[in-house]
Amino acid sequence: MSSTTPTAHTTTAATPLVIPTSAAMTWLMGTTALAMIVYYFIGVEQGATAIFNGAQVHEFVHDARHFLGFPCH
Amino acid sequence: MEKKLIFSGLLAGAVGGLTAWIFALLFAEPLIDRAIAYEDGRAAAQEALDRAAGFAIPAEEGGDVVSRGIQSTLGLGVGLFAFGLAMGALFAVTYAVCLGRTGQIRARPLALLVAAAGFVTVSLIPFIKYPANPPAASNDETVGDRASLFLLTLVIGVLVAVIATAVGQQLKLRLGTWNAALIAGAGFVAVIAIALLILPPLGHLDANVAATGAEHNTETPRALRDPDGTIVFPGFPADVLAEFRVYSVAAQALLWAVIGLVFAPLADRLLRSGQRPGVAPPQRETVGI
Ligand SMILES: [Zn+2]
């Protein structure tokens, strides 16, 4: 089934066996990456390292950063 | 399925983050106020000492970029809410990976186990070695080292937890679930304990040894003394430090508990509906055909 040449009628029937796992991986990996970026901005940005100049991000989430145990001042 | 699980995780994380926000408003903010009062008092005492010694007093820096009023309410809330979302998302990913790979644990107990693993690896293990500090209880110069060490404890915890889980699954075939779980769990605790013992206490960081002249265990501010050795301002208040740390770890336990408890019934429903694809749709919907 999966080796049939893709034509207008067979593609939709032939691919579902393959797509779900890779699609699931994309969703799981993408979600993990986004969550880690959020984690970084709450916990580390404009502290130990900085992507943006200034202190707005650090100062805005400052109390949460301390309370969640991230190193600060 | 994975999209629905991730959505459920985000929902659980949102509820957990809001819960942590309310908790923090009640318990953390009064302590942060006391820590900032200490910071101001100590700065004034230091300035008086410097003035007496004839040092130039640096000009006052410009006011706060974000006001304390915003930091202690909205900023606190956005930070905890976003952290809750991020943890809910990571929780859902872990849950999805565990499904079908961790034996026959059912949907709801698995949610509680993954939440417990999240608490232990993300919150508890870093906390044991490098506990949360209120403002003014750390040395600014060591923030880079402290961030590296904090994240290192987290990475070690996650890696060892993954390995322990995989080993436990292998042992289960020979020893049964109970004994395999005990052995994998004991191995996890032993490896983590050794790793935490090897990692340096914050007081041993070069900048702290240079500043205090000795290898203290922590970098918590000690009493401020004048050139004669008389104490002119006390060390950081122990009660504020202790209470802040208790509430910090309690808030994270609360966050993970809420994530597990909100996610469990959602996952249970999702997996039940997914388990019976062959079941005919309810009667009412087929009537028109
Ligand atoms: Zn701070």
Side-chain angles (χ1 to χ4, degrees):
Chain A
M1 273 287 270
S2 57
S3 60
T4 28
T5 337
T7 67
H9 288 288
T10 52
T11 28
T12 46
T15 42
L17 282 175
V18 186
I19 296 272
T21 27
S22 59
M25 276 308 285
T26 309
W27 275 94
L28 297 180
M29 302 287 275
T31 303
T32 304
L34 279 177
M36 287 168 79
I37 290 168
V38 172
Y39 181 90
Y40 168 82
F41 274 99
I42 294 164
V44 187
E45 169 68 2
Q46 291 170 351
T49 60
I51 293 172
F52 298 112
N53 290 323
Q56 277 90 352
V57 177
H58 174 128
E59 293 252 315
F60 185 62
V61 299
H62 178 262
D63 287 18
R65 181 172 292 190
H66 274 281
F67 196 47
L68 290 167
F70 290 106
C72 191
H73 81 293
Chain B
M1 178 59 76
E2 69 281 353
K3 274 179 268 186
K4 288 176 180 166
L5 286 173
I6 290 167
F7 181 78
S8 302
L10 289 173
L11 186 65
V15 179
L18 290 175
T19 313
W21 182 23
I22 294 166
F23 185 92
L25 284 174
L26 292 174
F27 296 107
E29 283 304 333
L31 293 167
I32 292 177
D33 288 343
R34 286 163 69 186
I36 290 172
Y38 172 84
E39 186 175 30
D40 293 343
R42 188 181 177 103
Q46 182 70 59
E47 196 180 307
L49 280 183
D50 289 350
R51 209 181 292 278
F55 292 134
I57 306 299
E60 186 82 6
E61 288 172 34
D64 289 342
V65 180
V66 178
S67 76
R68 276 299 308 151
I70 293 289
Q71 283 184 12
S72 64
T73 52
L74 188 66
L76 174 73
V78 170
L80 291 174
F81 183 75
F83 186 80
L85 284 180
M87 293 308 108
L90 292 177
F91 169 93
V93 169
T94 310
Y95 188 92
V97 172
C98 285
L99 279 177
R101 292 187 177 86
T102 49
Q104 289 161 349
I105 309 169
R106 280 180 293 174
R108 285 179 292 190
L110 182 61
L112 297 187
L113 287 174
V114 173
F119 171 69
V120 169
T121 55
V122 176
S123 303
L124 185 62
I125 290 175
F127 180 89
I128 290 171
K129 186 71 187 190
Y130 304 113
N133 268 351
S138 304
N139 180 356
D140 279 345
E141 289 172 36
T142 59
V143 68
D145 289 339
R146 283 184 285 124
S148 305
L149 290 168
F150 182 84
L151 295 176
L152 183 61
T153 57
L154 190 154
V155 171
I156 291 172
V158 171
L159 284 179
V160 177
V162 170
I163 294 169
T165 307
V167 169
Q169 292 302 315
Q170 291 301 312
L171 292 177
K172 191 177 67 178
L173 305 173
R174 273 177 288 162
L175 302 174
T177 303
W178 178 261
N179 288 330
L182 281 184
I183 291 171
F188 175 80
V189 171
V191 173
I192 294 299
I194 291 167
L196 294 187
L197 282 171
I198 292 172
L199 287 168
L202 294 183
H204 291 202
L205 297 176
D206 290 345
N208 288 324
V209 175
T212 62
E215 284 200 335
H216 295 294
N217 203 41
T218 71
E219 59 173 31
T220 309
R222 311 175 80 76
L224 193 60
R225 294 168 187 270
D226 67 14
D228 304 327
T230 312
I231 291 176
V232 294
F233 202 76
F236 194 87
D239 288 341
V240 174
L241 189 65
E243 285 179 40
F244 188 83
R245 288 177 174 174
V246 169
Y247 290 139
S248 168
V249 78
Q252 291 178 82
L254 182 68
L255 172 75
W256 286 105
V258 169
I259 288 178
L261 290 171
V262 172
F263 187 88
L266 298 174
D268 190 51
R269 219 177 49 191
L270 278 175
L271 294 172
R272 271 175 206 279
S273 63
Q275 255 169 11
R276 288 176 257 144
V279 171
Q283 207 62 42
R284 213 170 293 165
E285 290 175 21
T286 57
V287 164
I289 298 173

